[in-house]
Amino acid sequence: SLLEAFRRPDFDVAAFVRDATGQGADRVTKLSQQLEDCASTFDQDLQREIIACHDELLQNAGSISDLDRQIGGIREVVEGLKASIGRVKGDVLTPFQGVKQRTVLLERMQAVNVLTRKLLRFLFDAKKLRGQMEAPSKDFAKAAHTLQELEGVLQEGGLDRIDVLKAEVAWIRETGVRIRKQAADDLRNGVKQGNHVALNVALQVFFNLQCLWPQLKRSLREMLDEFSQVGLPAGAEFHQALEVNMQVLIAQTQRVHLLSEMVRSKT
């Protein structure tokens, strides 16, 4: 029937109208009359259902009135709760937001203060290092101590973001490479030549840079590599090569002893 078609879950209004109008004007007139009859029948059925359930509907109407009163009471409670929440917000949350904003402001001021102090210390040490490196007689040991202070500040971070310091930072890093190379050359030549002055300065530089022990390990490894490169050929040249090896071993032993004595005096 027509009502059954309307009750289908997959009922499609557009498809239904398309099919009805596609069958001619007579089909449309007939369908219109059927729809009016179905509506009249459905209305009559609904009235009968209402009459049959008249008493139950009246009881439910009373229940609805009670429910409306209860909802009114709940609405009053909700409004009271909203008012309480508003007072809590005014008494607690608003001051808390003020304290929070002032705390953030204080943290930022403290960060600016720390960075400013770090900047002043950095500029003072940078000027001091330039004076030490531009002096006619350079004291690499003192320059290494100042360099270590500057590298410590750079390692803490923060100054790299200041554009006006980029050139100064680059110069400090280049100076660090230069001082380390000079000290490594002095250490190598001082050990080979037994030059106590050069050796003393080189050790003091690495000590001030806080990298003495790694540098000593590299120096000892270089001595070991130098000794291992001297071969022992077989045959008539064996004794001569053995004597050369013994001379190299004695020389290296003396260098290690000298280095040990110099390090002991530093530590």
Side-chain angles (χ1 to χ4, degrees), residues 5-215:
F6 289 155
R7 290 192 180 100
R8 292 177 182 173
D10 58 345
F11 177 75
D12 189 343
V13 176
F16 180 82
V17 173
R18 184 184 63 246
D19 295 340
T21 55
Q23 298 179 13
D26 294 340
R27 172 58 180 164
V28 173
T29 302
K30 185 178 179 181
L31 178 61
S32 177
Q33 184 60 44
Q34 288 178 343
L35 289 172
E36 291 180 2
D37 294 341
C38 287
S40 178
T41 302
F42 188 76
D43 184 60
Q44 293 174 3
D45 292 340
L46 182 60
Q47 290 182 8
R48 284 195 296 271
E49 290 290 338
I50 292 173
I51 293 172
C53 302
H54 183 266
D55 295 338
E56 185 177 353
L57 288 173
L58 289 177
Q59 292 177 0
N60 288 336
S63 300
I64 291 173
S65 298
D66 294 339
L67 181 60
D68 185 60
R69 286 193 297 271
Q70 293 178 7
I71 290 175
I74 294 174
R75 187 178 293 110
E76 292 178 359
V77 173
V78 171
E79 292 299 329
L81 183 59
K82 287 183 178 179
S84 299
I85 293 175
R87 287 194 297 272
V88 170
K89 182 178 180 180
D91 296 341
V92 178
L93 294 182
T94 302
F96 172 77
Q97 292 296 334
V99 171
K100 183 178 179 181
Q101 292 176 357
R102 287 193 291 272
T103 301
V104 172
L105 181 62
L106 182 60
E107 288 178 351
R108 292 175 179 175
M109 293 175 61
Q110 180 64 19
V112 171
N113 183 42
V114 171
L115 186 58
T116 303
R117 289 177 177 273
K118 187 185 297 185
L119 176 60
L120 293 174
R121 171 186 163 196
F122 177 84
L123 293 175
F124 175 80
D125 288 339
K127 182 179 180 181
K128 181 179 178 181
L129 180 62
R130 280 190 179 276
Q132 292 168 338
M133 295 302 296
E134 294 173 358
S137 57
K138 297 179 179 59
D139 190 338
F140 283 103
K142 291 183 178 179
H145 184 271
T146 307
L147 176 65
Q148 197 277 329
E149 293 288 335
L150 287 167
E151 290 178 341
V153 174
L154 291 176
Q155 191 173 4
E156 293 174 2
L159 296 182
D160 292 336
R161 295 174 293 176
I162 303 177
D163 294 337
V164 295
L165 293 181
K166 289 184 177 180
E168 195 74 6
V169 170
W171 178 81
I172 290 171
R173 298 193 190 284
E174 293 174 0
T175 303
V177 173
R178 177 184 173 188
I179 290 177
R180 286 177 171 84
K181 184 179 183 303
Q182 182 64 47
D185 292 341
D186 289 343
L187 179 61
R188 188 180 302 108
N189 296 330
V191 169
K192 289 182 178 181
Q193 301 171 6
N195 188 333
H196 287 231
V197 176
L199 190 57
N200 183 65
V201 172
L203 291 175
Q204 189 63 49
V205 167
F206 288 120
F207 180 81
N208 290 344
L209 291 175
Q210 299 182 1
C211 61
L212 176 60
W213 295 114
Q215 185 62 39

